[in-house]
Amino acid sequence: MTIRNPGPEEYRQLSPEEKKQLLANGNRVEDWSTFFVCDPFFPDLIRNTSFSGEIRIQGLHPERRSHDGRTLEVGICNSEIRDCRIGGQTVIRNLAYCANFNLGQGCILSDIQEIYTRPGAKFGCGIRNPGEEESSRRRISLINEAGDRGVPPFPGMTGSDAFLWSRYREDSELMRRLEEITDRSFSGSDRGEIGENTFIQGCRSLIDLRIGSFCRIRGADVLEDLSIDSSGDEPTSIGFGTILRRGITGPGCSILDGAMAEDFVLASHVTLTKGLRLSHCFVGDNSTIACCEVSNSLIFPFHEQHHNNSFLIASLLMGQSNLAAGATVGSNHNSRSADNELHAGRGFWPGLNVSLKHPSRFASFTLIAKGSYPSELDIPLPFSLVNNNEHDGCLDIIPAFWWNYNMYALVRNSRKYAARDRRIQPRQHLEFDFLAPDTAAEIRSALELLDQWDPTGEADNLEAPRGLVERSRRRVRILKAAAARQAYREMLLYYIASTLLPGLEEKGAGLIAGLPGDTDTADPLEWINMGGQLVPERKVDLLRDEIRSGNLAGWQDIHRRCEKWDKTYPAEKIRDAWACFLLLEGNIPDAPGWQRLFTAAEQIQEQIAGEVYKSRSKDFLDPFRTVNFQNEAEKTAVLGTIDGNEFVRQIRKESDVMIRRFRSVRQLLK
């Protein structure tokens, strides 16, 4: 039988026979005049329970409910319940105290010591209730421990929201308007909520909660002052020993195995587990954090940090990052106060036992070799390997390291993130490609720097000016600079060709006619990574203007604007690639210029496939890979072969297709 949500007029008081049956079953009702039910109602399904305040039960009829192999009979028993609305066909067992909650249909709640809502509960939101002082507003202190980038959290907060609010602190009117919007959009309440078909079992203390539908909570220790988004398509799970206070969780999250978090916002499909300690953080979509400590950080999507002794604090990580075991990113302040920060572009990878000082800044896809780095760093060269060379007493940087020496990992990571995106309803377009407008801009800047440091362009190794890249007087060596220059140019050419390719295939030369016709009006755009979504800076400035003016009056309006950005991103990206092409050519490209571009693209695509094969084949050719095998046959049975590697074969096939596409467009533009 289907139980629906009844209207107020469908509730009724109990008949004398129903009252008699309830009392006979060992129940106690403080005031019969405030006890209401909807039909169908079977009073024999309620036993040994005390009711007080206003009670509304939507309907109960005999049925057995199953969850995780356990079968329970619908009904209420062995509980104390005060001022609650109880959805139809619920299972309630052994609630020592339950007060001020609305329970959705089909919920299963059992063995809970206390579950209640306090007056004026805010459910993790950074709002002011009517009559409260501004000092009562709660903020999460992102990026900076001193709190001067504090952001009031709210349900549905995205990475772009957190970035907008924490980054533009000099814009006081924007800050004021965002607080007003949040206060209008959300409110406190004296009643908590639990959505339909939610399962909660074996918990100690549940206070001030708004929980979505189909959520699974088992064995939690303390859940307090939270909004937990969950649905049938994207259920959230909370497991044994967890302690969560003052937070917001997005849909599809998993918080398990003793994780502890306070003052936080989780986007969708975030996993916290294995004793993690998290505080004052925003964690982006599809991130996994375990076994470590993370504090005061704004983390964009696809962050991985799951080793037992890593530490991250006071940082802005712009996505697709990975912290290895023993990495200490934070706490080493070079200041009289804990007010320094670390900012890193996409693809930030500090290696084993890396220790970094704040403040520091890193270009996209910086790989940091094992070591304790004694001074602050400002690494402007993307795709670099950074090494603290203690033997020679210097800092070594190999620019374009990923492209030249580990193409397999570089290409695979881009595919991996796209394949692992578990969002059912994406709220932002995330850029997974390692060659995109943000990295293209960094590559152009890196080429300019290399030209400044070596105007001849001939040096294979050179030195950066002291005190510029590292806050010290020791040498900073740029190794394999000539190879890096070549790699950066190849990356730019490939970015241009692969970005323009779909439009040229669709529109032919007509695409070119719709683009800026001279180099003066076709400068590459300035781009901002807004929580994993790449946006031209001018659009972010316009967004700020519209918020300040009141044209965008709510978070839904702001989010709709971000959705519009998604739709225009491909065209903006094409315009950016076109501007890069004009810079390289120095003028509007003629037919030979187009031929050079797509001939180079064919060669680079072949190079990508070859380097993917070459970099992965090192793992199979290394003689030390054989030491744990009795013979070659055993090794092949366990590891396979390079020619049988599925990803290598996939890239070979895709490269063949791309080469044909490049060749076809090249013929079209003759």
Side-chain angles (χ1 to χ4, degrees), residues 283-336:
V283 183
D285 302 301
N286 298 297
S287 296
T288 299
I289 310 179
C291 310
C292 59
E293 182 176 353
V294 182
S295 178
N296 301 95
S297 294
L298 173 51
I299 301 170
F300 290 0
F302 286 100
H303 175 71
E304 295 286 332
Q305 185 178 353
H306 46 254
H307 296 287
N308 205 38
N309 52 352
S310 61
F311 182 66
L312 174 67
I313 192 168
S315 297
L316 168 61
L317 304 187
M318 294 190 176
Q320 301 159 34
S321 45
N322 193 312
L323 265 68
T328 302
V329 181
S331 190
N332 293 323
H333 294 280
N334 189 14
S335 173
R336 279 75 185 168

Side-chain angles (χ1 to χ4, degrees), residues 249-525:
T249 75
C253 291
S254 296
I255 308 172
L256 310 168
D257 301 329
M260 295 183 288
E262 60 183 23
D263 300 298
F264 64 93
V265 176
L266 307 183
S268 63
H269 296 280
V270 173
T271 297
L272 308 180
T273 186
K274 297 180 181 177
L276 159 81
R277 289 188 294 166
L278 181 91
S279 65
H280 287 278
C281 288
F282 178 97
V283 183
D285 302 301
N286 298 297
S287 296
T288 299
I289 310 179
C291 310
C292 59
E293 182 176 353
V294 182
S295 178
N296 301 95
S297 294
L298 173 51
I299 301 170
F300 290 0
F302 286 100
H303 175 71
E304 295 286 332
Q305 185 178 353
H306 46 254
H307 296 287
N308 205 38
N309 52 352
S310 61
F311 182 66
L312 174 67
I313 192 168
S315 297
L316 168 61
L317 304 187
M318 294 190 176
Q320 301 159 34
S321 45
N322 193 312
L323 265 68
T328 302
V329 181
S331 190
N332 293 323
H333 294 280
N334 189 14
S335 173
R336 279 75 185 168
S337 178
D339 57 0
N340 284 324
E341 305 170 1
L342 181 143
H343 294 194
R346 290 193 292 140
F348 180 59
W349 281 50
L352 294 169
N353 296 315
V354 163
S355 178
L356 299 173
K357 274 196 172 181
H358 287 36
S360 288
R361 181 173 60 173
F362 299 90
S364 297
F365 295 93
T366 298
L367 176 63
I368 306 177
K370 177 180 179 179
S372 179
Y373 290 76
S375 302
E376 301 90 326
L377 300 173
D378 186 6
I379 306 298
L381 307 173
F383 302 96
S384 291
L385 172 64
V386 179
N387 177 46
N388 180 33
N389 189 332
E390 295 181 346
H391 181 271
D392 293 339
C394 62
L395 183 74
D396 288 341
I397 302 174
I398 303 178
F401 173 85
W402 288 92
W403 181 267
N404 283 329
Y405 305 105
N406 200 356
M407 185 73 78
Y408 177 89
L410 186 61
V411 175
R412 181 177 176 272
N413 284 341
S414 292
R415 310 299 177 86
K416 175 180 70 176
Y417 296 128
R420 295 180 182 178
D421 189 358
R422 293 172 289 171
R423 298 174 299 163
I424 302 298
Q425 296 179 328
R427 303 182 63 190
Q428 288 187 277
H429 172 82
L430 303 180
E431 179 60 82
F432 301 122
D433 200 324
F434 61 89
L435 290 178
D438 59 339
T439 50
E442 290 180 328
I443 289 170
R444 293 194 305 271
S445 297
L447 284 170
E448 291 176 2
L449 280 175
L450 292 175
D451 288 342
Q452 291 175 20
W453 298 342
D454 175 30
T456 68
E458 298 176 356
D460 191 40
N461 299 321
L462 55 94
E463 290 190 8
R466 299 193 184 192
L468 181 66
V469 174
E470 183 180 53
R471 191 175 183 266
S472 75
R473 299 305 300 167
R474 69 174 181 168
R475 293 178 300 155
V476 175
R477 301 192 303 191
I478 310 300
L479 307 181
K480 304 182 185 298
R485 279 192 175 95
Q486 178 64 24
Y488 282 150
R489 293 189 185 102
E490 290 169 353
M491 295 166 84
L492 268 185
L493 286 171
Y494 189 79
Y495 165 68
I496 294 166
S498 60
T499 301
L500 296 178
L501 178 66
L504 291 169
E505 289 176 324
E506 179 184 354
K507 299 179 180 179
L511 175 73
I512 305 168
L515 294 170
D518 62 83
T519 55
D520 293 334
T521 60
D523 289 336
L525 301 173

Side-chain angles (χ1 to χ4, degrees), residues 15 258 437 479 495 597 605 640:
S15 68
L479 307 181
Y495 165 68
L597 173 66
Q605 187 66 65

Side-chain angles (χ1 to χ4, degrees), residues 36 101 338 378 382 441:
F36 302 92
F101 260 92
D378 186 6

